[in-house]
Amino acid sequence: MTTRPIRIAPSILSADFSRLGEEVRALDAAGADYFHVDIMDGHFVPNISFGPMVMQSIRKLTTKVFDVHLMIAPVDPYIAAFAKAGADSITVHAEAGPHLQRSLQAIKAEGKRAGVAINPATPLSAVEHILDDIDLLLVMSINPGFGGQTFIPHAMEKIRQANALIGSRPIDLEVDGGVSADNAGALAAAGINIFVAGTAILGGNDVSTYATRIVAIRTAASTVTA
Ligand code: DX5
Ligand code: ZN
């Protein structure tokens, strides 16, 4: 269990894009802490989502944190655009290029919180030497590209190891992929404090269900004693 504050971050990748503004307002009212914004380029991952213009258009609908997950390579040419579009934190993938520390410096130069994501097959050692450059570590529990995938069990052990690696450093530990109220307790016990959830919150796109679902994940994450 971590002492870092629990944050529930709905992924707007699972929104009904024909009603995107309404979805953002509903999630805000339903108690979302962060908005997790998935940016996909059809190259680093086998899907395309949307870009900074769309993000900028929803930025004005809420004052909550925009947690931007860039699944794009090369990523450096786009960092400034997402910073200007209203990102609060920008997370890049360790696998997206040869100069990860340079990307992190570029995020910091924009005055944003810097995160690194690692795919399921990427060892934790990929981030061992840049821990002093990050505010957030995102452990992917699916192969990125699509919502609605099943949580990869090995991610749980990797998260435990990531938590130990972080130690007392002021780094948030985030999980993304297949997260629900069913595994949030175990994830919190392993050290997670930021819970990204797409399908588990937005599945069915019925705004009347969002608050209950956010509470369910928060409760599961908060009541764990392990
Ligand atoms: C996938 C994205 C995730 C996705 C999670 O590449 O990074 O944020 O939206 O969706 P669920 O919660 O449905 O697995
Ligand atoms: Zn994501």
Side-chain angles (χ1 to χ4, degrees), residues 36 38 69 71 138 140 176 196:
H36 184 78
D38 287 307
H69 178 192
M71 289 161 273
L138 170 53
M140 294 303 303
D176 184 3
V196 175

Side-chain angles (χ1 to χ4, degrees), residues 11 13 36-40 67 69-71 93 138 140 144 174 176-177 196:
S11 167
L13 186 67
H36 184 78
V37 183
D38 287 307
I39 307 297
M40 303 177 176
D67 167 41
H69 178 192
L70 298 181
M71 289 161 273
H93 268 264
L138 170 53
M140 294 303 303
E174 179 173 40
D176 184 3
V196 175

Side-chain angles (χ1 to χ4, degrees), residues 51-66:
M53 287 162 54
V54 170
M55 194 184 101
Q56 189 165 24
S57 73
I58 56 172
R59 174 67 278 191
K60 57 181 176 288
L61 302 179
T62 173
T63 58
K64 290 183 178 165
V65 165
F66 268 34

